[in-house]
Structure formats: structure tokens, C-alpha cells
Amino acid sequence: DGGITQSPKYLFRKEGQNVTLSCEQNLNHDAMYWYRQDPGQGLRLIYYSQIVNDFQKGDIAEGYSVSREKKESFPLTVTSAQKNPTAFYLCASRYSGQGAYTEAFFGQGTRLTVV
Amino acid sequence: RKEVEQDPGPFNVPEGATVAFNCTYSNSASQSFFWYRQDCRKEPKLLMSVYSSGNEDGRFTAQLNRASQYISLLIRDSKLSDSATYLCVVNSIKDNYGQNFVFGPGTRLSVLP
């Protein structure tokens, strides 16, 4: 089955720790995205990547880092510099070839809580 | 001004009602448009794409007005199961890098028995 998988589903982090959220897709999609959602709020873009070995900051990149070493994978690291990391994190992917304007598919999300 | 704006609601409507949501976008170079549905504590899922000529899928109708830069979603004969947050999404070229996929803040709908 093709799809996009995020893990873990729930993650607890102690203050001052870095944690990495996994996002893997087997849809052969070029573009991948990370969003953050706070309770009752919309999705805010953290980072996105259109091709392997390249990525761009979104609207709220401070305190986060990403890598895109493989087309299938786009892990997000929440660093200790992110002062309020408790949120619902969503990864998405989509095909973005020349002239293509397709929908995005989402993973099931990771709920991160600082303890 | 935010790139994509929606009325946050909530819209509380009785079963069987017709309800309409609007969404406005600021980037005139935007290329494609979508409506997503998000249930509480779940990931967004595609409801429908929005085409220039407008499109319909059962009880749902989407319209695009490029001149006024807004998108609409009409839900007829509302069901209890339609209760969710509806997200407007706009795809546009960004900084010559590629395409950006921007979400509106969402409109919350509650269908009441």
C-alpha cells in the first residue's frame, strides 16, 4: 500500500532535549512538507523540500531543522531552541513535477508534548 | 494580510441545512485550489479539488472566482457526519523555487440534530 507514514504517533520530550520526528513516503513524491498545528488553530508551515538535498524555511522554522537525503524521507528535528514545541506535527507529500498542481497527502501526525 | 483567509466560524447548522464557506487568497499567481476536511485530532484529508469551471461531488460544490480571488464550498443537505473543520488550500509558485502549498486557518462546522 502506498502512503505516508509518520512516527511516533505520540512523543514526550523533556525540556532541553532534541527530538526527531520521522516522515517516510513511498508515493514517489518530489515535495514534502512539515506543518505544525496548535489546538484550535490552522496549519503553519515549518519547512518544505521540493527535491532531494534541498529544503526551504517556512513561516515558523526557528527552533527546527530538517534533512532530505533521500526522496522518501524528510525527518524533522525539534531542537531545544524551540521554546514551545508542544503541538501536533503533520508531514505531507505531493507530486510537484513540471506543470503539475496536485493535492497533498498527509501522514497521521505526531503529537509532541514537553514534560 | 495572510495569504489565505477563512471565516473561522463556528458555523452551527441543523441537519438538512445548506451551508457555504468562503476563502480568499492574496497571491494572484496561485495555480490550484483545494478543500480539505479535518476531523478533531486527525490529519487533513482531501475533500475536493477546485477547478476553474466549478465542480460538484454529491452534496458538495466548489467554485473558484479568479477575478475576485476567492473560493467557495457549498454543502447541501448537511449530515451530522459533516461536522469537521474545512481547510482551504492554495498552491502557488514561490520565489522561483517551486510550489508552495498554503493552508487557510479553517472553518469549523457543527451540524446539529
Side-chain angles (χ1 to χ4, degrees), chain A residues 31-35 45 47-48 74 90-92 94, chain B residues 99 101:
Chain A
M32 297 186 75
Y33 304 79
W34 274 105
Y35 294 91
L45 182 64
Y47 268 99
Y48 65 105
F74 192 40
L90 287 157
C91 179
R94 54 192 291 266
Chain B
Q99 299 175 33
F101 211 68

Side-chain angles (χ1 to χ4, degrees), chain A residues 87-103:
Chain A
F88 186 40
Y89 291 87
L90 287 157
C91 179
S93 73
R94 54 192 291 266
Y95 176 66
S96 64
Q98 186 68 25
Y101 301 100
T102 59
E103 72 270 24

Side-chain angles (χ1 to χ4, degrees), chain B residues 32-98:
Chain B
S32 56
F33 311 89
F34 307 91
W35 283 102
Y36 277 72
R37 169 195 169 126
Q38 186 177 25
D39 293 294
C40 189
R41 301 175 72 83
K42 298 282 191 180
E43 76 275 23
K45 293 188 177 177
L46 180 68
L47 179 65
M48 57 198 305
S49 302
V50 186
Y51 301 119
S52 297
S53 55
N55 47 301
E56 187 174 310
D57 182 2
R59 299 182 293 110
F60 299 85
T61 300
Q63 295 277 352
L64 168 63
N65 185 319
R66 283 191 185 271
S68 301
Q69 295 183 202
Y70 81 79
I71 308 144
S72 64
L73 177 68
L74 183 77
I75 306 175
R76 290 181 299 277
D77 188 23
S78 300
K79 311 290 185 191
L80 295 176
S81 57
D82 293 334
S83 297
T85 297
Y86 291 83
L87 304 167
C88 172
V89 185
V90 174
N91 183 26
S92 57
I93 302 297
K94 185 174 176 68
D95 300 332
N96 295 317
Y97 174 65

Side-chain angles (χ1 to χ4, degrees), chain B residues 4-50:
Chain B
V4 181
E5 298 195 73
Q6 295 180 251
D7 181 343
F11 284 59
N12 299 315
V13 302
E15 269 187 290
T18 295
V19 61
F21 306 137
N22 287 329
C23 166
T24 57
Y25 61 95
S26 60
N27 186 346
S28 59
S30 297
Q31 298 290 340
S32 56
F33 311 89
F34 307 91
W35 283 102
Y36 277 72
R37 169 195 169 126
Q38 186 177 25
D39 293 294
C40 189
R41 301 175 72 83
K42 298 282 191 180
E43 76 275 23
K45 293 188 177 177
L46 180 68
L47 179 65
M48 57 198 305
S49 302
V50 186

Side-chain angles (χ1 to χ4, degrees), chain A residues 11-65:
Chain A
L11 185 58
F12 297 90
R13 188 194 97 168
K14 291 183 180 178
E15 287 196 29
Q17 275 186 339
N18 292 356
V19 291
T20 297
L21 283 58
S22 169
C23 179
E24 304 275 334
Q25 54 96 2
N26 60 3
L27 301 165
N28 199 31
H29 285 168
D30 310 292
M32 297 186 75
Y33 304 79
W34 274 105
Y35 294 91
R36 169 182 172 139
Q37 188 174 38
D38 292 284
Q41 304 295 314
L43 277 69
R44 291 186 290 167
L45 182 64
I46 304 173
Y47 268 99
Y48 65 105
S49 169
Q50 301 281 0
I51 54 173
V52 173
N53 292 324
D54 200 1
F55 47 83
Q56 296 291 313
K57 291 182 179 180
D59 301 318
I60 55 164
E62 186 174 348
Y64 300 97
S65 66

